[in-house]
Each structure stands twice: as structure tokens, then as C-alpha cells.
Amino acid sequence: MPFVTRFAPSPTGHLHRGHAYSALSAFMAARDAGGRFLLRIEDIDVTRSRPEYEAAILEDLSWLGLAWENPVRRQSDHLADYHAAIEALRTRGLVYRCFKTRKEIDIGRAPHEPSIPYAGSPLPPDEEAERLARGEAFAWRLSLAAAREALGGFETLTFVEEGAGPNGETGLIQARPETAGDIVLARKDVGVAYHLAVVHDDALQGVTHVIRGNDLFEAAHIQRLLQALLDLPTPIYRHHGLLLGPDGKRYAKRDKAQTLRELRAAGVSPEALSYELGFV
């Protein structure tokens, strides 16, 4: 079986050390397996994605010494594919229109309390028609109840973890999609949601191994459900630990972590950075 993996950044900011670690992990794994390495630009968040960040991603990864196949898949060019997948789920009664805002769902929850997985149901047809006629915004949500009925339960949903989750989870993992609740698959402001686009593209591109940070380990549970509902293959997962900064916190765009372009401007070589990250 051919080995195919990918690095799939979102162009919502500049890459930092944490991104470099994840990209090199996937690239080196493909090289060592004699496999293929893909680059995918996940720019479905139209409110935050910027062309200049996409250009910077290509520049930074080239500087690191990575090479990938062309053409690079840009998700914003394929929105019709994702909407077709949602329509396929809709015709089977697996998704529903949800008019609730995040604020409405969280009413009564103290700020320090974690969000409770949301579970809803379709509105009565007359009420839904009225709200649509008024032009009210809605999101398409996946119905866990309908999905459970369609599959006869979630007990057969498993995936193989070759790395480790945040609590050391490894080996054959029982998927627990119920922990995510009725997730949003699409909404007006950000278009198609991450989970749907990812499972669609991984299948389309023949990805056999998903190599990414263990902050996304929980995402594998709901993605496994979507794979089953859409009759898509399940890749092998290999989650890795997150790179931490001197303060003990993981590198993050929102915390203005030092970017690769800043390291480059400071005279750091790609070889030195690779060595620092544990790649030789």
C-alpha cells in the first residue's frame, strides 16, 4: 500500500516553529517510507484567510527544504465538492438546519465552564419555512441521533493511532463521535466547516496517513463518523506531541509566536532549525 501524507495549513497567519515541526514530521515520514508528501491549503475560513499568508507558507516551506507535489489543492477552489457532500447527507436526513447562535446555545453556562456538546433536532416544517422566508441565518448540523440510527450504533467505528493522543491513546481506538455533539458542517459566515472538508480531501487525495499535532486527536473521532457516513476510507492516524515554547505553552498564532520569516531574518538557517526541532 503506498504511503501518502500531507501538511495542511490554514493561511490565517505566518508559520512558526510548531508548524515547522509538524510539516517536517510529515515530510520526513513520507521520505522514510518512500511515499508521497502533499501540501494542501485549507482556506475555507474566508473571514481570516489571506493570499499573502498563503504565499508566505510556500516561501517558508521551501526555505525549510520541503518539496511537494503540484498542483497544490486549495480548498476554496472546491466548495462545490463539499456542498455536494452535505447535500448527500441532507437527502438521507442526516443533517438539519439549526438557527441557534453560539450565544443562545451557551445561555446559562458560566464563562469558566466547558461547552456542553450540543444536540438538537430539525424544526417543524412550518416554523423552518417561516424563518427561512425571513432570511434568518442558519447552520447545517450533523445529527448524531440520525447518524447513530443510520449506522446501527457507533460501536464498529474505530481508527488506528500509530502515534499518541494527549493522554497516551494509541493502537486501535474506539471512536467516540458523541463527545463532539451535533457539529456544524457549514454556515454562512465561514462556509463549509473543517471536519467535512478534511475527510473529503483526504479521501480524494488518497491520503493513507494523517500526521498532525495531538491537539487534533479529538477531531479524529468525529471525522471517523463522517468517513463512515460518506463511505470514505479511514486513514491511519499518527498524532505527535506539540512543540512548547520557553514559557511551557504551545506555539500559537494568536500568541504572536516567533514566525519562521522572523527566524530567517535573524539569520537562523533551515539546517539549524531542523536540528533544533530534532530532525537531522
Side-chain angles (χ1 to χ4, degrees):
M1 184 179 184
F3 186 106
V4 183
T5 193
R6 46 53 168 195
F7 178 59
S10 298
T12 56
H14 294 295
L15 300 185
H16 50 62
R17 279 184 175 87
H19 294 117
Y21 182 80
S22 192
L24 282 165
S25 294
F27 178 76
M28 296 297 188
R31 185 195 65 181
D32 293 346
R36 298 165 55 208
F37 174 75
L38 310 177
L39 175 64
R40 185 166 72 224
I41 301 297
E42 298 192 340
D43 60 345
I44 50 176
D45 185 348
V46 296
T47 63
R48 299 172 59 218
S49 296
R50 298 286 184 272
E52 59 268 30
Y53 291 141
E54 179 180 336
I57 286 171
L58 300 180
E59 182 181 350
D60 287 341
L61 296 180
S62 293
W63 172 75
L64 273 175
L66 274 60
W68 52 86
E69 297 181 10
N70 284 303
V72 172
R73 183 174 176 87
R74 183 185 296 108
Q75 288 187 332
S76 62
D77 293 336
H78 303 280
L79 297 179
D81 293 349
Y82 313 132
H83 287 296
I86 293 174
E87 180 62 17
L89 296 172
R90 189 194 68 78
T91 59
R92 295 166 57 195
L94 297 173
V95 299
Y96 62 94
R97 292 184 179 92
C98 177
F99 293 85
K100 288 183 179 292
T101 64
R102 187 185 301 273
K103 184 177 180 180
E104 289 173 323
I105 290 173
D106 286 342
I107 284 177
R109 182 181 66 86
H112 64 278
E113 293 178 338
S115 296
I116 298 173
Y118 177 76
S121 59
L123 291 175
D126 290 348
E127 182 180 351
E128 182 175 87
E130 290 177 6
R131 301 187 74 159
L132 288 174
R134 292 197 295 267
E136 293 188 28
F138 67 88
W140 286 111
R141 284 188 181 272
L142 177 68
S143 170
L144 278 180
R148 183 180 285 107
E149 182 177 354
L151 297 175
F154 298 151
E155 291 76 13
T156 61
L157 296 181
T158 60
F159 60 91
V160 174
E161 173 61 65
E162 287 189 343
N167 296 310
E169 303 93 336
T170 192
L172 186 65
I173 306 294
Q174 172 67 54
R176 297 174 288 105
E178 65 276 4
T179 60
D182 290 0
I183 63 164
V184 170
L185 295 183
R187 71 174 77 208
K188 185 176 181 180
D189 56 345
V190 297
V192 176
Y194 163 76
H195 293 296
L196 183 80
V198 164
V199 298
H200 177 280
D201 286 356
D202 282 344
L204 180 71
Q205 295 186 288
V207 171
T208 61
H209 290 71
V210 171
I211 301 171
R212 60 190 183 187
N214 63 20
D215 56 327
L216 289 171
F217 176 78
E218 292 302 323
H221 294 269
I222 195 68
Q223 289 169 10
R224 178 65 186 90
L225 174 58
L226 286 170
Q227 290 155 3
L229 294 174
L230 293 168
D231 195 25
L232 302 176
T234 300
I236 292 170
Y237 290 89
R238 190 181 295 178
H239 291 91
H240 58 71
L242 302 180
L243 200 66
L244 304 180
D247 58 0
K249 296 171 59 179
R250 72 185 182 98
Y251 290 99
K253 294 176 184 176
R254 64 178 177 274
D255 295 332
K256 298 187 178 353
Q258 189 176 33
T259 66
L260 299 188
R261 64 196 296 110
E262 289 172 338
L263 290 172
R264 187 159 65 249
V268 175
S269 70
E271 294 80 12
L273 179 59
S274 295
Y275 183 79
E276 174 194 327
L277 297 178
F279 301 97
V280 292

